Amino acid sequence: MPTSALIRQLLLNKFTPHHRTSPLLRNLACGKRHPLYLSARPSLVASSASTEQQVARSRWEEGKAAPTNAASTDSMDESNTACRLVINSHFDSGNIEVVDSSDPSNIQLRIHEDPFCETDGRAHFQWFHYRLTGARDLDLTMNMVNAGKASFAHAWTGYNACASYDRRHWFRVSTSYDESSGVLSIQHKPEQDAVYYAYFAPYSYERHQDLIAKSTSNKQVRLEVLGETLDGHDIDLLQIGEASKGKKRVWIIARQHPGESMAEWFVEGFLDRLLDSHSALARHALQKAVFYVVPNMNPDGSWRGHLRTNAAGANLNREWAKPSLETSPEVSHVRNKMDSVGLDMLLDIHGDEELPYNFINGNEGIPCWGERLAKLQKIFVESFKKASPDFQSQHGYAIDEPNQANLNICGHAIGDRFKTLSLTLEMPFKDTIENPEPVQGWSPGRTKSFGASVLNPIVDVIPSLDG
């Protein structure tokens, strides 16, 4: 097929990311620019009312294309010099579509959807991440016009968006949600020429690579690539410590839902502490256990700017009963490795859009639940509360009735498969009510500190895993 015809078909959505095509075609189809791939979506930097922008917007309205990199407006400042706004999301984890940027006080944006998820019966969206340039000292109002149809629209209430000038320090900006119109409005007056906005502080694929490289520079760490994702990313597993008779096998996985970037910040904090040669607790932990850590279960979704799914539209945390190499190779490879080396304890790290708490979701509803698992869970919870004031057990999800747990969910499936302690840890997108921090809210720094503190309850529960 001629290249021009192929690109035309991709733009008209005649290919979908989960077709078994080459990584190049899959990424062309999803319109995501990977370092090795091209982008099929229009990339526009045009003045207001340009013909190119009008054509692109018309295509978006017809459902044929989405101008994720878009456009600008000529706003006049006091010196009568044109100020061009440029909104761009064509980068790692970027996600936004520009509907209208002609008025800085009423910029209209749209969050792009994940691929349709069969198990959930919808196309998820809530994650956004973009850069706005040219708005220094302008009063901006950015309206997410489709926020009312987001996966967790009710969670917008009480939420404040994240912003950063340097992509290192993230702070919160004034945000409001109108339930009647379904519009999320972000108000901000940038102090610099370029500012990034995101649903939560992103954890980039580049930083993931840095985390792997830093960890493997420690002689106690081995790296194994378990397999390849649909987009061709490596599924990285870090083994910390040497397996031997009597040592417990502790698994930590994170970011099954790619928009929950706090999960990988948590893992970074945990690894920093576990690999700290000056920490007596870390040395003790490595004498008693070997750790298997998957920092990012869903690198495809993370790169693409998805909220909950991988490249094929699979919600990985609903794939653990029957994972498929065709749609959820990430789960298939990780579960196979668990079966191969064994598992005595699992922590699955997540973020919750609505609840302003850190909490765990337990396994009361799995078939093998009994006194032993209840005891292990209690030891972990009580120890974690002592280790971190940011953890609590009063608020969280409703407890499943006996034998009613969804065994497609990782924590439940693995707990029942290995008859052991298996917990889902949730963190807020907003902030914790008990210890609020008004400038940053729940942030990368606090998440890393929280991740470091989880070593205490792990060490405290290890002796009881035999019982």
Side-chain angles (χ1 to χ4, degrees), residues 24 29 64 87 99 141 165 167 172 200 210-211 241 295 297 319 329 331-332 336 350 376 410 436 440 443 460:
L24 171 61
K64 295 178 180 179
I87 299 171
V99 179
T141 298
Y165 297 115
R167 300 194 299 168
R172 302 288 176 149
F200 191 81
D210 289 342
L211 176 64
M297 284 285 297
E319 295 283 321
V331 175
S332 182
N336 287 344
H350 286 261
L376 293 175
C410 177
Q440 290 187 285
S443 64
D460 284 348

Side-chain angles (χ1 to χ4, degrees), residues 237-262:
L237 170 70
L238 296 174
Q239 177 183 324
I240 302 98
E242 294 294 332
S244 62
K245 185 177 180 180
K247 276 191 173 184
K248 298 306 174 187
R249 296 149 299 185
V250 178
W251 281 78
I252 298 178
I253 68 172
R255 214 169 174 186
Q256 289 198 76
H257 296 145
E260 297 165 12
S261 55
M262 66 283 289

Side-chain angles (χ1 to χ4, degrees), residues 45-100:
V45 179
S47 62
S48 179
S50 71
T51 301
E52 187 177 14
Q53 181 180 345
Q54 290 174 352
V55 170
R57 185 168 299 147
S58 175
R59 289 177 60 77
W60 171 74
E61 290 169 349
E62 294 170 7
K64 295 178 180 179
T68 58
N69 248 18
S72 47
T73 179
D74 289 332
S75 301
M76 304 303 292
D77 61 20
E78 293 179 358
S79 62
N80 203 36
T81 301
C83 177
R84 188 175 67 166
L85 300 185
V86 179
I87 299 171
N88 188 300
S89 66
H90 264 315
F91 44 73
D92 179 356
S93 81
N95 183 328
I96 208 65
E97 298 173 7
V98 177
V99 179
D100 186 356

Side-chain angles (χ1 to χ4, degrees), residues 154-167:
H154 55 279
W156 292 125
T157 301
Y159 166 78
N160 286 314
C162 298
S164 177
Y165 297 115
D166 60 6
R167 300 194 299 168

Side-chain angles (χ1 to χ4, degrees), residues 383-405:
S383 176
F384 206 178
K385 286 194 289 187
K386 293 178 182 178
S388 174
D390 276 328
F391 181 76
Q392 56 82 50
S393 60
Q394 184 177 355
H395 304 278
Y397 299 150
I399 296 175
D400 290 322
E401 295 295 325
N403 296 309
Q404 295 302 308

